[in-house]
Amino acid sequence: MNAIDNRVQTSFRRYLKQSLWMIVGMALVVLAFMSIKFSTDLVNALIVTVLFSMFSSITYGLVWKRIAVHSPAALTKFFLAAPAVRMVVAAVVMGVWCYVVRDTAAIKSFVLIFFVFYLILLVFDCVFFARQEKRNK
């Protein structure tokens, strides 16, 4: 492994660690809110949201690592396309949830939780990789 590969691997591990800790932290906040309201209606929504967030963060990190190592010139295209793909997949997940659940209150709760997780992770990704690219130049 050369120096660039080591730097990419270190950044990848840092990204995964930070994004997964953010997901866990947000999930704990939602769980604390659920315990205050004595409501367990949001458990399924939280599980789906956490699974989607973990899957998308891990996938985003793995694809970034591969592109950064093998074709760094294509990173600009990746930073443009990856959020769009994530948005489409998020819309599909929300659509499937709405179709399966069909309960207005549960749908509103899910969309709120999902949207907050999605936005926070989107901002985190943008900030993390903007700093990463600034360091590399």
Side-chain angles (χ1 to χ4, degrees), residues 89-115:
V89 174
V92 168
V93 169
M94 285 195 296
V96 168
W97 177 269
C98 294
Y99 180 75
V100 170
V101 172
R102 296 185 185 183
D103 176 27
T104 307
I107 290 172
K108 287 179 183 177
S109 300
F110 172 73
V111 169
L112 176 66
I113 292 170
F114 194 86
F115 189 67

Side-chain angles (χ1 to χ4, degrees), residues 23-40 42-43 46 113 117:
I23 293 167
V24 168
M26 290 185 294
L28 289 175
V29 168
V30 172
L31 285 172
F33 177 75
M34 286 172 28
S35 68
I36 291 171
K37 289 189 72 172
F38 302 109
S39 172
T40 58
L42 304 177
V43 173
L46 181 62
I113 292 170
F117 271 66

Side-chain angles (χ1 to χ4, degrees), residues 13-23 124 128:
R13 278 191 249 120
R14 189 171 4 105
Y15 169 75
L16 277 185
K17 183 171 61 170
Q18 290 177 5
S19 65
L20 294 178
W21 274 111
M22 286 184 65
I23 293 167
F124 169 72
F128 182 89

